[in-house]
Amino acid sequence: MSRINLSERVTIYDVAAAAGVSTATASKALNDTGRMSAETRDRIRRVARELGFRPNALARSLTRKRSFTVGLLTDDTYGRFTLPVMAGISEGLIDHGVSVFLCAVEDNPALAKVHVDAMLDKQVDGIIATGKRIDKPLPVDLSHLSVPVVYALTAAPLEAVTFVPDDRQGAQEAVDHLIAAGRTKIVHITGPGSFRVVQERASAFAETMQSAGLPVSQAAILQGTWSERWGHEAVEALWSGENHPDGIFCGNDQIARGVIDALRERTIEVPTDVSVVGFDNWEIVAEQTRPPLTTVDMNLKELGRQAGQALVRLVNGETVEQGLWKLPCMLVVRGS
Amino acid sequence: MSRINLSERVTIYDVAAAAGVSTATASKALNDTGRMSAETRDRIRRVARELGFRPNALARSLTRKRSFTVGLLTDDTYGRFTLPVMAGISEGLIDHGVSVFLCAVEDNPALAKVHVDAMLDKQVDGIIATGKRIDKPLPVDLSHLSVPVVYALTAAPLEAVTFVPDDRQGAQEAVDHLIAAGRTKIVHITGPGSFRVVQERASAFAETMQSAGLPVSQAAILQGTWSERWGHEAVEALWSGENHPDGIFCGNDQIARGVIDALRERTIEVPTDVSVVGFDNWEIVAEQTRPPLTTVDMNLKELGRQAGQALVRLVNGETVEQGLWKLPCMLVVRGS
DNA sequence: TATTTTTGAGAAACCCTTTTCTCAACGTCG
DNA sequence: CGACGTTGAGAAAAGGGTTTCTCAAAAATA
């Protein structure tokens, strides 16, 4: 009945005792459930506030069978894409009172299993898997868990709920921007063909050119590495022949940086002679080029936020349409 | 006494029933506490394994008053330094069965408070604060919490336990490397003086030069921005006068990149004519320069790991020496 | 053989909150 | 004035473990 609380932490027993009611009544007052007079409710709330009562989430989770906690699995420890996604997830979920367990698993299946088991033991309500590439899965199978799973920026089973940037739409916006600027001889300098995003952006490039009635040969798509050096080399190659392009759509910002530098070395004016558009909006690169780089932003933070909210909906028993959610990219127009 | 378990999850009641013992005995068998015959203990364990029993960490934490969970607060959502630190923390703690709550707080004090309160409600055993600069604190005061706090790569109260890279030692190794390569006219091209790391690396540069008996004027330290462009400009400035340096220690890898590019434009050979050393070991930059960049690695992952382990010690009631722990940097020798 | 000690295991309390059920008091209606 | 619906609040169980205490049986000692 009455308990003596020796620890410093204020419990609902303390609140109930101070307000002269039972813990049942106190709980109902604080959660705005049950029936009681308005005065009682207010009094309990006031007492709770004065005592600085904060419910123990562990005990609450135990009865509610909801921990308001989710797990976030990532295989990326160095990349620049994961951090904004994770930040978006964290931000989007804290609004719902949900906390996020961070689990860095590298490419280690054993480590991944340890993390997943630990999360499950801690009764997470759901799991978000995220990574560095949309065409490589995490080193653990999450498809038969007892909790819902959402994927963001990583490879996933077909029937899963997955969020990725809309590379096609982003590429299309980039090319449309070049065309709108009056460019007609446009090439695409991009990364290794083994990346899915390279395929997507390249085919969107080709399609957009065609629908604009512009010629697009296979030679207009140059695959290399994700490096400034490759941007340099590609420009060398292009300008060693005749027929120079007047617009260049680059597969990422680093390549674009190399392209712009190479053009300047050749005293070709950007954007007067040639327009350049990048991809990623990696501000540390895009804002430092001369002129500043026009590029495509993938809205990764928003992507993370949406992934988090989708998971909350699943946890609440609502349905979320399965499959690939492609979130729009946004063209950031700067000076190039 | 006997309970019927309708949910799919296996509880200790199920184990106890299947083994024909009480939950008290089952608990003791599984935790290797209490007294019982070896046969009983083995039998209970075997049954638990067969049933796939995994204890509910929530229930366990409630009685043990240890949640095996810590909070990780960061104000960095884009930087490249935080992710390895976080990964190190996560890795170092999972070995102790500890999970990590990720909280991205930007520079928002209200958001930070929400996160801290949520963590405390969830009974975290401790908190790690991490950020992007060692001279800027997080937007929340963590100094009077009921749980221990450890700081990593962020500004902290003097009496706190804090982990940062040893910038002085790193700078010293860089300069020593240049001296060992026979360089005598060495300059330091670095970032804005408002950064503490700039001060530290610069003064270590000066001291190392002096102890080697080499002249070091104030003009040998050039402060600018953390950009390739500044590396370019600095080289322009240096080579516009007489008396060119034969060794350059750069404040970060981007500056070094700019320096190397500018030198190549002037057909100055690296490392034949001039040796260049960077700082950060940002592989995406350092491995792409021509030649690949010799640079200082801050061992951020290890730093995170140590911060996590220090927190575990504090949580266990062990003492950890207060103050600034400066963890050694490591020179990565490549081609420059 | 009688007494003490050790051993093995279970009953019950506890951790903190939520939730269902019960119940007295009160007001309303016929 | 008796039957009945409301209202306000509490008792108790539940959630899944851990831990302290108790106690009978077995073993050791006298």
Side-chain angles (χ1 to χ4, degrees):
Chain A
M1 182 80 37
S2 76
R3 302 197 181 193
I4 300 165
N5 185 348
L6 294 177
S7 85
E8 70 288 358
R9 182 111 196 165
V10 178
T11 73
I12 203 167
Y13 289 94
D14 303 323
V15 175
V21 297
S22 71
T23 61
T25 306
S27 174
K28 282 179 281 197
L30 297 170
N31 291 304
D32 216 358
T33 58
R35 285 185 317 204
M36 73 193 64
S37 67
E39 300 97 283
T40 308
R41 206 179 282 277
D42 290 345
R43 176 163 46 88
I44 295 173
R45 286 190 172 158
R46 184 161 35 75
V47 168
R49 202 169 338 108
E50 283 166 7
L51 260 43
F53 170 69
R54 308 223 28 133
N56 181 326
L58 259 35
R60 171 179 266 175
S61 302
L62 199 53
T63 54
R64 287 213 180 151
K65 298 193 165 298
R66 276 284 299 277
S67 65
F68 289 89
T69 287
V70 306
L72 172 58
L73 230 45
T74 178
D75 66 350
D76 188 14
T77 58
Y78 283 100
R80 87 156 202 85
F81 300 125
T82 307
L83 209 42
V85 175
M86 294 188 341
I89 290 170
S90 168
E91 271 188 37
L93 287 173
I94 192 70
D95 297 341
H96 299 263
V98 173
S99 303
V100 177
F101 279 129
L102 167 67
C103 308
V105 302
E106 312 281 338
D107 291 317
N108 184 337
L111 183 59
K113 180 159 173 26
V114 167
H115 267 118
V116 171
D117 285 347
M119 295 185 326
L120 261 18
D121 289 349
K122 286 178 176 152
Q123 312 294 118
V124 293
D125 297 330
I127 292 179
I128 300 179
T130 184
K132 45 194 168 190
R133 282 181 62 172
I134 61 169
D135 45 8
K136 295 279 182 210
L138 295 184
V140 62
D141 178 23
L142 303 172
S143 53
H144 299 101
L145 261 36
S146 53
V147 296
V149 178
V150 166
Y151 298 79
L153 211 72
T154 191
L158 274 171
E159 70 281 8
V161 175
T162 311
F163 291 84
V164 295
D166 190 343
D167 283 289
R168 304 189 71 84
Q169 170 265 341
Q172 188 183 330
E173 297 224 353
V175 178
D176 279 341
H177 174 76
L178 289 171
I179 294 172
R183 307 303 173 173
T184 53
K185 294 177 290 182
I186 306 175
V187 299
H188 181 39
I189 306 177
T190 186
S194 57
F195 281 69
R196 166 109 50 88
V197 292
V198 167
Q199 310 287 354
E200 303 238 335
R201 293 173 195 171
S203 73
F205 163 75
E207 283 170 22
T208 310
M209 291 289 282
Q210 269 175 338
S211 18
L214 292 172
V216 49
S217 71
Q218 198 53 44
I221 297 175
L222 294 86
Q223 290 184 0
T225 63
W226 294 120
S227 65
E228 294 184 32
R229 182 166 320 157
W230 163 235
H232 259 99
E233 291 170 7
V235 167
E236 300 303 316
L238 285 168
W239 263 263
S240 68
E242 299 295 299
N243 208 6
H244 306 157
D246 58 3
I248 304 180
F249 169 42
C250 300
N252 78 355
D253 287 350
Q254 288 169 277
I255 294 175
R257 164 72 196 275
V259 164
I260 287 182
D261 285 353
L263 291 175
R264 193 174 48 247
E265 285 170 21
R266 290 179 166 267
T267 66
I268 298 165
E269 295 272 335
V270 174
T272 316
D273 301 328
V274 179
S275 291
V276 178
V277 177
F279 210 106
D280 286 352
N281 193 26
W282 193 354
E283 300 191 350
I284 207 162
V285 175
E287 291 180 349
Q288 294 294 315
T289 61
R290 286 171 294 172
L293 183 64
T294 295
T295 184
V296 177
D297 190 302
M298 294 186 285
N299 290 319
L300 292 175
K301 201 163 182 177
E302 177 61 22
L303 191 149
R305 189 188 308 274
Q306 295 220 17
Q309 293 183 346
L311 185 60
V312 166
R313 267 180 267 131
L314 286 172
V315 169
N316 288 339
E318 303 167 39
T319 62
V320 174
E321 204 184 322
Q322 299 180 331
L324 218 52
W325 288 78
K326 298 192 175 179
L327 266 40
C329 301
M330 185 181 66
L331 187 72
V332 178
V333 178
R334 295 200 180 86
S336 70
Chain B
M1 182 81 37
S2 75
R3 302 194 181 194
I4 300 166
N5 185 348
L6 294 177
S7 86
E8 70 288 358
R9 182 112 195 165
V10 177
T11 73
I12 202 167
Y13 290 91
D14 302 325
V15 174
V21 297
S22 70
T23 61
T25 306
S27 173
K28 283 180 280 197
L30 297 170
N31 292 304
D32 216 358
T33 59
R35 283 186 318 203
M36 74 192 63
S37 68
E39 300 95 285
T40 309
R41 204 178 284 278
D42 290 346
R43 176 164 45 90
I44 295 173
R45 287 189 173 159
R46 185 161 35 75
V47 168
R49 199 168 343 106
E50 282 165 7
L51 260 43
F53 170 68
R54 306 223 28 133
N56 181 326
L58 259 34
R60 171 179 265 175
S61 301
L62 200 53
T63 54
R64 287 219 180 144
K65 302 195 163 295
R66 276 284 299 276
S67 65
F68 289 90
T69 288
V70 305
L72 173 56
L73 229 45
T74 179
D75 66 351
D76 189 14
T77 59
Y78 283 100
R80 87 155 200 85
F81 300 124
T82 308
L83 207 43
V85 175
M86 293 187 343
I89 290 170
S90 168
E91 272 189 37
L93 287 173
I94 193 70
D95 297 342
H96 299 264
V98 173
S99 304
V100 177
F101 279 129
L102 167 66
C103 309
V105 302
E106 313 280 339
D107 290 317
N108 184 337
L111 183 59
K113 181 160 173 22
V114 168
H115 266 118
V116 171
D117 285 346
M119 295 183 327
L120 261 17
D121 289 349
K122 286 178 177 151
Q123 312 294 117
V124 292
D125 297 331
I127 291 179
I128 300 179
T130 185
K132 44 193 168 191
R133 281 182 62 173
I134 61 169
D135 45 9
K136 295 279 180 210
L138 295 184
V140 62
D141 178 24
L142 302 172
S143 53
H144 299 101
L145 261 37
S146 53
V147 296
V149 179
V150 165
Y151 298 80
L153 211 72
T154 190
L158 273 170
E159 70 280 11
V161 175
T162 311
F163 291 84
V164 296
D166 190 342
D167 283 289
R168 304 189 70 85
Q169 170 265 341
Q172 189 182 331
E173 297 224 353
V175 178
D176 279 341
H177 174 76
L178 289 171
I179 294 171
R183 307 304 173 174
T184 54
K185 294 177 291 181
I186 306 175
V187 299
H188 180 38
I189 305 177
T190 185
S194 57
F195 279 69
R196 167 109 51 87
V197 293
V198 168
Q199 310 288 353
E200 302 238 335
R201 293 171 194 171
S203 73
F205 163 74
E207 282 169 23
T208 311
M209 292 289 281
Q210 269 175 337
S211 17
L214 292 172
V216 49
S217 72
Q218 197 53 44
I221 297 175
L222 293 86
Q223 290 184 357
T225 63
W226 295 121
S227 64
E228 293 185 33
R229 181 165 321 158
W230 162 235
H232 259 101
E233 292 169 5
V235 168
E236 301 301 317
L238 285 167
W239 263 262
S240 68
E242 297 296 299
N243 207 7
H244 305 156
D246 58 1
I248 304 181
F249 168 42
C250 299
N252 78 355
D253 287 351
Q254 288 169 277
I255 293 175
R257 165 72 196 274
V259 164
I260 288 182
D261 284 354
L263 291 175
R264 192 175 48 250
E265 285 170 21
R266 291 179 165 267
T267 65
I268 298 165
E269 295 272 335
V270 175
T272 317
D273 302 328
V274 179
S275 291
V276 178
V277 177
F279 210 107
D280 287 352
N281 194 26
W282 193 355
E283 299 191 350
I284 207 163
V285 176
E287 291 179 350
Q288 294 295 316
T289 61
R290 285 171 293 174
L293 183 64
T294 295
T295 184
V296 177
D297 190 301
M298 293 185 286
N299 289 320
L300 293 174
K301 202 162 182 178
E302 177 61 21
L303 190 150
R305 189 187 308 274
Q306 295 220 18
Q309 292 183 347
L311 186 60
V312 167
R313 269 180 265 131
L314 286 173
V315 170
N316 288 338
E318 302 168 38
T319 63
V320 174
E321 204 184 320
Q322 300 179 329
L324 217 53
W325 289 78
K326 298 191 176 181
L327 267 40
C329 300
M330 185 182 65
L331 187 73
V332 178
V333 178
R334 295 199 180 86
S336 69

